[in-house]
Amino acid sequence: MKEEKLEKLNAMFGTYRAEWLNDKIFKFFAVPSYFAELKGNRPCVLQGGRGTGKTTVLRGLSYKGQWALCKQNIVAFDSNDFIGIYLRFNTNHTHAFEGIGADRRQWQRIFAHYLNLLICKEILQFVEWHKKLSASDEELSPHACKLVAATLNIDGNVTSRAELYEEIELSMYRFQADVNNIADGMTVKLSMQSEPINVLTQKLVELSQFDGKMFYVMMDEYENLTDDEQEVVNTYLKHNNKRYTFKIGVRELGWRVKHTLNHDELLTSMADYALIPIEDKFYKNEKLFTDFATDVCEQRIQALMEGENENYKIEQAFAPLSYEDEALLLKVESSKYYSVVNNYMRKSGKDLGISPLYMFTLGYWADKENRTIEDVITEYENQTALWNQRYDNYKYSMLFKIRSGRGSGLKKYYAGWSTILKMANGNIRYVLEMVYHSYVKHLSNDLGYEIPVPPRIQTEAAYDVGGIMLQDLEQEAKNGYKLSKLVINIGSFFNQLATDSDYTAPEITEFYIEEEISPEVEEYLKSGVMHMAFIRMPNNKNTNIGATKDYLYSLHPAFAARFVYSFRRKRKIVITNDDFLSLAKSHKQLIERVLSKNTKLALNRDDSTIQLNLFDDMQNDKS
């Protein structure tokens, strides 16, 4: 029974990648808030890291996706005013259009011909698909088929749509063979950029079944195109027409070239395309992501439960811990800071009526300020309102101090549906992974879906996901080994700041490189952002965002449980270019050198830039 449940769980959650799900992707499709923004004549660029749902959304807009979402009803499908054609670029194909045998401009013309063939082939494949569902469809005239064939430089007497498709398919294979042998002097017959697409879409919208339709050409994994190929596609995007438009899916920083084949012709957001940054949209409106992720996960879990519990709510299954309850699980009552306050209160006969975590904070405060317990408690009694505000501001950061250096076991809990969502930072794949790994452990312990997932299991699952992210980073990024080592060192850096009592500044999770950034550091940062090792945010002090140095950076918050530090965006630390390289290359001693230098900055009350002092009650806390 347990094995059967685990097998079903894996089928629903283990295959979380859109390319693994095949047609099941549409069974559990949840419409994100920005879905409507992708529709319309305007080109769109859907930007997001791996796992943010770009592929799922673009495939949802494709004709096969819309067919599934319309419950396989051709009348409902035809009520759409668009037809989506989905293309996915992979490096096996894109890197074939470079090398010896042709110069840069020739390769761009060759790639443009490949795009013409590919897009026309996919459009005609759709027309055949539609014909099977709607037998009364009008057919392309022989003249229209000849025109399209002529624009693609296809020889022969093409008089029907079927013949046209067959010739284009044959041309694709011949073309691939010719490209592979171009260094041996083979020549390739080329077509004019976008002209075959113009002619084909014009002839199709003249047919009654496609009257008034707009073709969406969806191009996924745009970052896999070379810079020269991006110039070609940018030109298509810049000069699209009223019959077709482009919807592009790309990772952050994956769109490297923003001009067309004419380098003086730039593409600008709003004027030429709509930019839809997924993570940014979800971060600015937390409810949007909460609703989306809840819908995605509850659909799957309710399917697993097969109607056993129609009232299942994931926020109840992944219940949060209060700070006070977490402190008790962390055994705060056995800590020295709690004990010294508790002993004083017992001897003095006082009862402050405060929680053990609050008592821990008083003891910690007295130690770091070199004050007596009596003095601190007297201050608490005289200024209770001030102390309550102080406690509210810093009780979360105190949780990291309780088990600092105290043997084995969990040092911090990461539990609760809202915690999972914040750690995922707008990435639906990380949500699915954390829920999946939680339930694998939960079911393996013979616990059912009707029982809430314990905080310990949630934490262990979050820890495991951080490890999977490190493995993925090492395998997927070009400089994966170096990048994963950098993540480990920065994670250790933030862990020491969070847990070590010698470092008093709370919740440091962001860093800013103040001086000029070297090319080596810039490469680390750009690769890290593109492969979800880092997230970046505009630095509030800069109005001219653009350069790498104009951003704040942090590790992706999904690493927080792996390294034990806060997943919340709170305070930043300024480091130098050399400090960053030390973290990229160094061992523990160099990490401590960076920590030592920055701790002195953190304790400087007059430093208005850092503002990291634990004892500054006027600190403007970010939520």
Side-chain angles (χ1 to χ4, degrees):
M1 185 66 176
K2 179 171 67 177
E3 287 72 21
E4 184 181 343
K5 285 184 176 181
L6 288 169
E7 187 177 335
K8 288 182 178 179
L9 176 71
N10 185 64
M12 293 292 183
F13 279 90
T15 52
Y16 48 78
R17 294 180 64 169
E19 51 267 41
W20 296 346
L21 282 168
N22 298 319
D23 290 339
K24 281 197 297 185
I25 189 175
F26 306 121
K27 181 178 179 180
F28 300 111
F29 186 80
V31 178
S33 58
Y34 55 82
F35 196 65
E37 294 180 54
L38 282 164
K39 297 180 180 180
N41 298 357
R42 184 173 55 169
C44 296
V45 176
L46 189 61
Q47 177 185 285
R50 182 188 69 249
T52 51
K54 301 185 304 296
T55 296
T56 301
V57 168
L58 292 176
R59 287 183 62 185
L61 277 174
S62 72
Y63 68 88
K64 290 183 179 178
Q66 287 298 300
W67 169 246
L69 296 176
C70 290
K71 310 298 183 186
Q72 300 185 345
N73 183 311
I74 192 64
V75 175
F77 175 87
D78 283 339
S79 67
N80 285 331
D81 59 4
F82 67 90
I83 297 161
I85 307 298
Y86 176 81
L87 307 174
R88 179 170 172 261
F89 292 120
N90 65 65
T91 52
N92 287 335
H93 288 170
T94 59
H95 286 268
F97 300 97
E98 57 185 359
I100 60 174
D103 62 26
R104 178 170 168 267
R105 285 299 185 191
Q106 286 175 312
W107 277 122
Q108 286 180 316
R109 291 180 61 221
I110 291 169
F111 178 70
H113 177 64
Y114 168 73
L115 274 185
N116 288 341
L117 286 169
L118 180 61
I119 293 171
C120 288
K121 173 178 171 289
E122 292 296 326
I123 290 175
L124 286 172
Q125 204 166 53
F126 156 74
V127 175
E128 170 66 17
W129 174 88
H130 195 274
K131 176 71 173 177
K132 290 178 180 178
L133 296 169
S134 181
S136 61
D137 280 0
E138 286 186 77
E139 281 284 9
L140 284 170
S141 69
H143 178 66
C145 294
K146 289 177 183 178
L147 281 179
V148 176
T151 61
L152 286 167
N153 233 323
I154 291 174
D155 297 328
N157 187 26
V158 177
T159 59
S160 70
R161 174 183 50 77
E163 290 175 349
L164 177 60
Y165 179 82
E166 183 179 325
E167 286 299 323
I168 290 177
E169 191 173 36
L170 286 170
S171 294
M172 284 280 293
Y173 285 107
R174 292 192 191 108
F175 170 75
Q176 289 169 2
D178 288 344
V179 166
N180 287 332
N181 293 284
I182 203 166
D184 298 326
M186 296 288 294
T187 58
V188 181
K189 288 185 176 182
L190 303 177
S191 54
M192 183 177 292
Q193 182 168 289
S194 75
E195 188 58 22
I197 307 168
N198 291 338
V199 174
L200 177 58
T201 54
Q202 175 61 50
K203 294 303 179 182
L204 286 175
V205 298
E206 289 173 359
L207 304 178
S208 59
Q209 67 268 25
F210 304 132
D211 180 35
K213 305 288 187 183
M214 163 73 76
F215 285 88
Y216 293 175
V217 180
M218 268 91 64
M219 295 183 168
D220 200 5
E221 299 193 11
Y222 194 72
E223 65 276 358
N224 287 336
L225 295 175
T226 67
D227 289 359
D228 287 346
E229 290 164 353
Q230 287 192 1
E231 284 185 12
V232 173
V233 178
N234 288 348
T235 308
Y236 277 66
L237 188 151
K238 181 83 171 179
H239 300 291
N240 68 301
N241 63 35
K242 63 183 180 179
R243 296 180 296 278
Y244 66 91
T245 189
F246 293 91
K247 313 293 181 180
I248 289 173
V250 64
R251 294 186 185 186
E252 186 175 2
L253 298 181
W255 192 4
R256 301 174 302 277
V257 178
K258 295 292 180 69
H259 55 74
T260 67
L261 290 167
N262 175 1
H263 286 200
D264 294 327
E265 191 175 54
L266 296 175
L267 279 83
T268 57
S269 181
M270 301 298 289
D272 297 306
Y273 63 91
L275 177 65
I276 304 174
I278 298 174
E279 289 131 315
D280 189 51
K281 278 186 171 291
F282 283 147
Y283 178 70
K284 288 178 178 176
N285 191 330
E286 191 175 300
K287 186 177 184 302
L288 294 179
F289 187 58
T290 298
D291 292 346
F292 175 56
T294 299
D295 190 14
V296 168
C297 292
E298 287 189 348
Q299 281 190 63
R300 286 164 166 77
I301 294 171
Q302 286 173 345
L304 286 170
M305 298 173 75
E306 298 178 338
E308 292 178 13
N309 184 359
E310 295 180 357
N311 297 318
Y312 175 92
K313 298 294 181 186
I314 198 163
E315 64 268 23
Q316 295 171 2
F318 288 81
L321 272 175
S322 70
Y323 297 154
E324 284 72 17
D325 286 344
E326 181 174 349
L328 293 174
L329 287 177
L330 292 169
K331 297 182 170 54
V332 68
E333 292 175 325
S334 66
S335 69
K336 64 177 183 179
Y337 294 126
Y338 168 85
S339 295
V340 71
V341 174
N342 188 51
N343 290 339
Y344 173 81
M345 289 168 61
R346 189 174 65 250
K347 289 177 182 177
S348 65
K350 292 186 177 183
D351 182 5
L352 302 181
I354 57 177
S355 70
L357 179 59
Y358 207 146
M359 292 165 65
F360 175 92
T361 305
L362 292 173
Y364 183 89
W365 193 278
D367 182 52
K368 295 309 157 189
E369 290 275 274
N370 292 316
R371 296 165 62 187
T372 66
I373 292 297
E374 181 180 10
D375 182 33
V376 170
I377 290 179
T378 299
E379 182 183 91
Y380 167 81
E381 292 174 317
N382 293 332
Q383 301 182 58
T384 303
L386 174 65
W387 261 101
N388 286 343
Q389 180 185 2
R390 181 177 289 162
Y391 176 65
D392 285 341
N393 284 340
Y394 300 113
K395 61 184 175 182
Y396 181 75
S397 63
M398 289 293 103
L399 293 170
F400 292 91
K401 311 290 186 182
I402 295 173
R403 289 189 55 81
S404 176
R406 291 173 54 203
S408 60
L410 290 183
K411 307 289 186 182
K412 175 74 179 65
Y413 284 85
Y414 296 81
W417 184 233
S418 64
T419 294
I420 289 173
L421 297 182
K422 287 173 182 174
M423 291 174 69
N425 195 59
N427 190 303
I428 191 62
R429 184 180 301 178
Y430 294 157
V431 174
L432 289 169
E433 283 198 351
M434 282 188 255
V435 171
Y436 169 66
H437 285 279
S438 293
Y439 271 123
V440 166
K441 295 175 183 292
H442 192 60
L443 296 175
S444 297
N445 289 334
D446 293 320
L447 301 174
Y449 292 109
E450 71 282 359
I451 300 171
V453 180
R456 173 176 286 276
I457 285 181
Q458 295 183 50
T459 302
E460 290 172 351
Y463 177 89
D464 291 345
V465 170
I468 292 168
M469 290 171 65
L470 278 173
Q471 292 173 8
D472 289 346
L473 185 63
E474 187 167 341
Q475 294 169 5
E476 292 190 13
K478 183 174 66 174
N479 56 344
Y481 173 74
K482 291 182 178 180
L483 204 51
S484 61
K485 182 180 178 182
L486 172 63
V487 168
I488 291 170
N489 287 342
I490 293 180
S492 300
F493 176 90
F494 286 137
N495 167 263
Q496 285 184 260
L497 285 175
T499 62
D500 198 318
S501 294
D502 289 336
Y503 307 119
T504 53
E507 293 192 78
I508 304 169
T509 60
E510 300 172 352
F511 61 91
Y512 170 57
I513 302 177
E514 191 170 36
E515 61 189 14
E516 195 62 33
I517 295 176
S518 68
E520 186 177 6
V521 170
E522 185 165 17
E523 178 60 29
Y524 270 120
L525 292 172
K526 285 185 174 180
S527 180
V529 169
M530 189 170 170
H531 291 280
M532 304 294 289
F534 302 133
I535 56 173
R536 65 174 190 165
M537 304 133 279
N539 186 3
N540 294 333
K541 291 190 161 194
N542 291 287
T543 56
N544 223 358
I545 297 298
T548 306
K549 67 184 181 64
D550 292 332
Y551 290 90
L552 291 172
Y553 295 86
S554 71
L555 289 183
H556 195 286
F559 285 118
R562 186 76 184 183
F563 298 111
V564 190
Y565 65 92
S566 174
F567 59 84
R568 309 193 302 182
R569 295 183 186 178
K570 284 290 182 176
R571 295 165 177 83
K572 68 182 179 182
I573 197 165
V574 174
I575 64 175
T576 67
N577 188 87
D578 289 343
D579 287 339
F580 186 88
L581 287 176
S582 294
L583 289 167
K585 300 175 180 178
S586 71
H587 45 73
K588 185 176 179 181
Q589 286 75 13
L590 283 175
I591 293 177
E592 292 194 351
R593 176 182 65 78
V594 176
L595 283 169
S596 176
K597 179 171 60 177
N598 282 294
T599 300
K600 292 175 185 177
L601 289 174
L603 293 173
N604 183 352
R605 292 175 183 267
D606 297 326
D607 193 313
S608 60
T609 302
I610 308 299
Q611 290 186 335
L612 293 178
N613 190 355
L614 173 62
F615 310 117
D616 180 0
D617 295 316
M618 300 309 292
Q619 170 72 38
N620 182 18
D621 236 34
K622 288 184 278 183
S623 59

